[in-house]
Amino acid sequence: MSAAENKKLVQQVYADAATRSGTTFRDNLAEDASWIVTGQYSWSHEFKGRAAILDGLMGHFRSLFDARPRTVGYNFIADADYVAVEARGDNVTKAGLRYDNQYCMVFRVENGKIKEIKEYCDSTLVERVLGPFPEQRKLAPV
């Protein structure tokens, strides 16, 4: 796929996330994809494989909210297989705390499928509002 096609795919993922609808991410995630949460805090980990991403990382993240989490992408830059996105969350946890993190996400798309994601965000906000990531979710998909 071209850089423009990769950008369009990632833009659709964020359009779905902004409206809390759609399955573009799930439908276009490679079986052997990896999601790397960068940094040195409890959420930092490389989640390897579709199940680890959808059930482990995203399953735990979604469990902290009543509504499906909402993230709005507002700047998309594509070059070859890579799409970088600036995004901002717009969420309230079950505990009633605002969780409006700012992200830079770097996607690598291979043959029309999302193969790798690197997440950069405010780790202090993650820990303060969402708490530590449960170690058992890192070890095996739930």
Side-chain angles (χ1 to χ4, degrees):
M1 290 176 57
S2 69
E5 291 169 315
N6 292 335
K7 182 177 178 179
K8 184 176 178 181
L9 170 62
V10 175
Q11 285 174 319
Q12 186 59 52
V13 166
Y14 278 89
D16 289 353
T19 61
R20 293 183 168 106
S21 66
T23 60
T24 304
F25 179 73
R26 179 180 293 275
D27 294 345
N28 291 282
L29 185 63
E31 285 296 327
D32 61 345
S34 67
W35 185 317
I36 301 161
V37 178
T38 63
Q40 297 181 12
Y41 65 113
S42 69
W43 289 66
S44 299
H45 184 69
E46 181 175 1
F47 295 87
K48 295 180 182 181
R50 184 180 169 90
I53 293 168
L54 296 176
D55 301 329
L57 175 62
M58 295 307 295
H60 177 65
F61 183 74
R62 285 189 311 266
S63 76
L64 301 171
F65 303 92
D66 285 325
R68 186 174 177 176
R70 179 174 189 258
T71 305
V72 179
Y74 56 88
N75 189 14
F76 298 82
I77 303 165
D79 184 25
D81 293 342
Y82 290 89
V83 180
V85 182
E86 286 184 278
R88 182 175 192 87
D90 177 22
N91 299 289
V92 177
T93 67
K94 288 179 179 178
L97 302 171
R98 291 292 317 171
Y99 183 71
D100 301 328
N101 211 332
Q102 293 181 303
Y103 301 93
C104 178
M105 306 290 284
V106 180
F107 289 77
R108 184 169 57 85
V109 180
E110 186 177 287
N111 299 319
K113 295 290 185 181
I114 299 166
K115 187 75 169 184
E116 182 181 85
I117 304 162
K118 286 187 182 173
E119 174 183 330
Y120 302 87
C121 67
D122 180 347
S123 58
T124 301
L125 178 67
V126 175
E127 294 280 0
R128 182 173 50 81
V129 176
L130 302 182
F133 194 86
E135 197 63 34
Q136 68 272 17
R137 287 258 190 181
K138 290 181 182 178
L139 302 175
V142 177

